[in-house]
Amino acid sequence: MSTIINNIEIIKAKATKINDVDFNNLKFGHVFSDHMLECNFKDGKWAAPKVVPYQAITLDPSSKIFHYGQSVFEGMKAYKDANEDVWLFRPLDNFNRLNISSKRLAIPELPENYFMDGLKTLLEVDKEWVPKNEGSSLYIRPFVFASGNGFHASPADEYKFIICTAPSGAYFSGEVRVLIEETYSRSANGGVGYAKAGGNYAGQFYPTQLAIEKGYQQVIWTDDNTHEYIEEAGAMNIFVRINDTLITGPTSDRILDGITRKSIIELAQAEGIAVEIRKLSVLEVVEAAKNGTLKEMFGAGTAAVISPISGFGYKDTDYDLPKLDDTYANYLKKRITDIQTNKAEDPFGWRYKI
Ligand SMILES: *Cc1c(COP(=O)(O)O)cnc(C)c1O
């Protein structure tokens, strides 16, 4: 039995799993909602997406995803406000970035209506799964990968686009200590660093494990050429506050164009905080740490929104950041989450109602 909403066919799950879920003790991305969106590319075109029960997928062992890593993804969140209305945050930016990533990985781009109508319909069907608790949200994972077969090292002829959702609690990473990386690189000029490609993450895991063994929680990526400039914090964009100026690097081949990053820049500027978008050298940050002008460092990304850094290691020396009462990190995080959850006005038009 199927129904159709927003032109999207829906095949409902026979039973809901929602009663097994403790919404007061949600981890991040561990339980999955009843349904998913599925859309297949075959014979040169994307077929209409469908909402289907969340389920395992079967792939041929020669599927190109396993061998050549053609896969891209997005990360976004849905929030429920006090009236039980459901909101997304700048979803068209996620759609556009998914296609930018796909293009770089020779994956066929998706039509906007398949992504947006598919996402809307999935969220309408699984509306009950959007958590209400403070800090909680429905984490949304759209992804596209090569499902076509064959060992020939060339782009696949078939792909799958899937959206799964996971009710998730507040992402508390705590204060993290980071290691400024001098050997490994996350990305390079001409590479795929600006794409949300699965392989970018695989390449980060080993250097991050080494940093964890040394007692840090995360790596600060520097430019691949000289390792002299700060680029990203793990899989987040990075902001550094020196005196009262917020500094972040310019997006490039190597630095991912984060939606949280650009929202922070716009918000901070609107609030009269000085923002500089420019190359930021490790030496400048070390100098600022030594002379006391380094006030804050934080990562920015959808999962944690803002993740404060308490100190960093560089060339066998550790530097601590001051413990401030009023941080830009706390202030900007509250401003963004209040807009996301419909607790504050949205002068930028970022919220999107489902
Ligand atoms: C996803 C991601 C970010 C953050 O992007 P948002 O749109 O803010 O979630 C930053 N850096 C990297 C490498 C990423 O993959």
Side-chain angles (χ1 to χ4, degrees):
M1 256 271 301
S2 72
T3 48
I4 292 184
I5 304 181
N6 309 321
N7 280 323
I8 307 281
E9 186 182 349
I10 300 163
I11 299 166
K12 280 256 179 114
K14 291 204 177 67
T16 180
K17 301 172 289 185
I18 202 163
N19 299 319
D20 302 338
V21 178
D22 179 0
F23 278 81
N24 294 317
N25 286 298
L26 290 169
K27 289 190 256 177
F28 183 80
H30 257 267
V31 291
F32 304 96
S33 321
D34 286 330
H35 298 89
M36 63 187 203
L37 186 81
E38 190 175 27
C39 185
N40 293 307
F41 182 91
K42 203 180 167 177
D43 300 327
K45 61 177 196 304
W46 287 103
K50 286 180 190 173
V51 172
V52 298
Y54 184 89
Q55 60 194 283
I57 46 183
T58 304
L59 291 172
D60 192 275
S62 78
S63 283
K64 297 211 181 193
I65 173 62
F66 299 133
H67 309 276
Y68 306 122
Q70 262 186 301
S71 125
V72 296
F73 69 94
E74 273 302 321
M76 46 204 304
K77 286 175 170 177
Y79 309 87
K80 200 173 264 175
D81 67 16
N83 297 324
E84 309 251 317
D85 284 327
V86 174
W87 301 89
L88 293 171
F89 186 69
R90 311 185 79 171
L92 274 170
D93 293 357
N94 293 98
F95 164 72
N96 288 325
R97 190 171 62 191
L98 186 64
N99 274 347
I100 289 170
S101 300
S102 287
K103 188 168 185 182
R104 180 63 181 81
L105 276 286
I107 293 172
E109 291 163 59
L110 278 162
E112 182 179 316
N113 62 327
Y114 283 7
F115 183 96
M116 290 304 296
D117 295 347
L119 176 60
K120 258 186 279 182
T121 311
L122 178 66
L123 293 177
E124 284 170 25
V125 172
D126 278 342
K127 184 173 180 209
E128 292 305 313
W129 287 86
V130 184
K132 276 176 280 199
N133 300 0
E134 177 84 32
S136 299
S137 61
L138 187 71
Y139 185 77
I140 303 169
R141 172 52 59 84
F143 59 108
V144 190
F145 66 93
S147 52
N149 301 339
F151 290 150
H152 191 265
S154 56
D157 55 0
E158 294 183 12
Y159 296 84
K160 271 187 194 299
F161 163 51
I162 292 176
I163 306 181
C164 304
T165 67
S168 296
Y171 192 102
F172 281 124
S173 47
E175 298 242 312
V176 295
R177 294 189 73 79
V178 297
L179 178 65
I180 297 183
E181 182 60 59
E182 291 177 87
T183 306
Y184 297 98
S185 301
R186 193 191 78 86
S187 59
N189 285 324
V192 298
Y194 68 89
K196 269 188 116 66
N200 284 341
Y201 288 71
Q204 287 184 222
F205 292 157
Y206 176 64
T208 306
Q209 281 174 341
L210 296 180
I212 289 169
E213 279 168 19
K214 290 183 188 154
Y216 302 94
Q217 282 91 52
Q218 200 46 269
V219 166
I220 298 297
W221 300 106
T222 50
D223 70 289
D224 62 302
N225 191 24
T226 64
H227 294 293
E228 285 174 10
Y229 292 93
I230 303 265
E231 301 218 313
E232 294 214 53
M236 302 178 110
N237 294 112
I238 186 166
F239 286 83
V240 174
R241 173 181 169 191
I242 297 179
N243 289 316
D244 286 336
T245 302
L246 216 42
I247 307 163
T248 191
T251 56
S252 65
D253 278 3
R254 305 184 308 269
I255 299 184
L256 191 126
D257 187 3
I259 295 163
T260 316
R261 171 188 173 279
K262 67 181 181 189
S263 304
I264 288 172
I265 292 170
E266 285 179 70
L267 254 180
Q269 284 170 337
E271 308 273 338
I273 295 172
V275 182
E276 290 178 8
I277 300 164
R278 61 165 171 87
K279 287 171 75 175
L280 174 64
S281 72
V282 179
L283 283 184
E284 184 180 349
V285 174
V286 168
E287 269 314 302
K290 284 182 182 161
N291 69 27
T293 55
L294 179 66
K295 297 283 168 28
E296 295 179 55
M297 292 170 73
F298 55 85
T302 295
V305 186
I306 286 179
S307 173
I309 292 168
S310 61
F312 67 90
Y314 180 63
K315 290 199 195 294
D316 298 322
T317 305
D318 277 319
Y319 301 85
D320 286 318
L321 274 87
K323 295 196 186 353
L324 305 177
D325 288 331
D326 295 313
T327 62
Y328 284 176
N330 284 341
Y331 178 71
L332 292 168
K333 180 169 181 173
K334 182 166 185 336
R335 284 289 290 126
I336 289 200
T337 50
D338 282 355
I339 292 174
Q340 288 170 330
T341 54
N342 194 22
K343 283 187 197 143
E345 262 182 68
D346 176 19
F348 308 94
W350 288 337
R351 261 194 317 259
Y352 182 99
K353 192 172 179 189
I354 293 299

